[in-house]
Amino acid sequence: MNPQHESAASGDGRRAGGRSDRAAGGSRERGGERRSGGRDDGARGGSARRAQTARGKGGPENARKSARPRDRASAGDPVRTAARDVLRAVRERDAYANLVLPGLLRDRGISGRDAALATELAYGACRAQGTLDAVIAEGAGRPVAEIDGPLLDVLRLGVYQLLRTRICAHAAVDTSVALARAEFGAGKAGFVNAVLRRAAERGAREWVEALAPRDPVGHLAFEYAHPVWIAQAFADALGERANELADLLAADDARPAVHLVARPGDISAEELALVTGGEPGRWSPYSVYLDGGDPGELAAVREGLAGVQDEGSQLVALALTRAPLIGPDGGRWLDLCAGPGGKAVLLGALAAIDGYRLDAVEPSVHRAELVRKATAGLPVEVHTVDGRASGLTSGYDRILVDAPCSGLGALRRRPEARWRRTPADVRDLVVLQRELLTAAWELLRPGGVVVYSTCSPHLPETVAVVADLVRRTGAFQLDTRELLPGVTDIGDGPSAQLWPHRHGTDAMFLAALRKPKD
């Protein structure tokens, strides 16, 4: 499994956003958050992120520098200083909170309840950024774009404590003012004090009623800290059950549980639950849920018996192995978007049991090496090539296209991601998704099956991509729901959609397509 996941607990997965190595057909494994708090090393950017960076007025800094205490407040309040430094790294360097925070906590010797609080404050403030900024702008009497970036970090941290934690108001205000005073002096500390006292005049519900848009989707988007366009995309994907939008957004705004995957042939889910103190999952026979902690410290993970992988991602890999073929399974399987290797490990372990083999494609040299390390000892061959022009010989029995996508279905595991996505990201990705699925179709033998999946429920990335292939090739759509035995409420078919509020998984979409015999 991806080493980056071992300290950032929770899921296998997806690229979020669009270009560079993803344009060559690579995929990203979702690392996630810990129970007490958050991977995604996806696209840097968009215009909104660049504007935020411009507000930083300090320029990029390397990870080591941003991980050091930078002012006197570090000694007096290391927890909030750590949370503030995560927010600063996210804003200044387009860093990813769940990659920055674990190392920062280790470097500063923050553990136990203090680490849990730092995680809650850092991830929570990243997740709620849009809502926090609206309150800050109201309290400051100016747009947040006119507030110096380092002060904005402190204000976000303070308002988050006021509105979304049980920390008492005076402690939230006083500690934030102390952070500002230690770094910037009394003048700017007074500004922070004034804004936070304005913010403390209303509770969270009152601020929602005062500032949220009046339309239903916009109102829910503000309440649960999502961009409106993402909330609307979720509503569209829910279709006739759009009345579940509030439940979905609430689940997406909450900290996810840690999901482990037991490596088939090495350990069972029951054994893994016993040695980790977790409990077997609901849907995947290899899944275990953890209540918290750092899974990288677990012996089973360190020894390669288990990894961190969202249960929904496990179900995608299992669906590929369960799909009915026409003719015998010759044991040639392909993971066309493999990096950094979560699903490849599960597929490789299952292939080994039956004496089959898996080819794994990853265009990035670095990420291909991660796949090799993750699948060491398994019958997996890694190819560092573009998935759209791999040069592989056709005739595969089973192919997984776990396509680069917007990652809208995994936002709960990437605290800042929702504020970095734009509709333009989706438009760019749809072209790549169609090209990868077409390439997979050409490599598939007649009677073979390709499973197309995304960790996004957004219709242009899901059913529209599948419908395009069906229209152009005459592909036969299997009822994907039959490949997920025991999993309930996954749609009307033939594709399947998992949801955080229904299944406790990321919002994974999957469709199974079989190539007709000549």
Side-chain angles (χ1 to χ4, degrees), residues 6-77:
E6 295 182 3
S7 62
S10 138
D12 134 348
R14 193 64 357 168
R15 327 12 87 186
R19 300 162 179 86
S20 60
D21 58 338
R22 286 177 304 284
S27 80
R28 280 208 165 81
E29 221 56 42
R30 226 171 2 261
E33 301 173 300
R34 285 182 264 190
R35 189 61 165 164
S36 58
R39 173 211 128 168
D40 168 27
D41 45 0
R44 305 275 200 262
S47 59
R49 173 59 26 203
R50 289 190 292 273
Q52 291 283 64
T53 303
R55 290 200 291 273
K57 298 189 176 181
E61 300 179 6
N62 61 49
R64 213 63 181 135
K65 183 176 178 182
S66 67
R68 297 193 194 106
R70 296 198 256 184
D71 53 58
R72 295 187 302 275
S74 300
D77 193 346

Side-chain angles (χ1 to χ4, degrees), residues 49 70 174 182 215 226 237 356 359 394 419 426 461 488 493:
R49 173 59 26 203
R70 296 198 256 184
D174 290 351
D215 67 284
H226 283 69
Y356 297 160
D359 286 309
S394 61
W419 308 111
V426 177
E461 301 182 82
T488 58

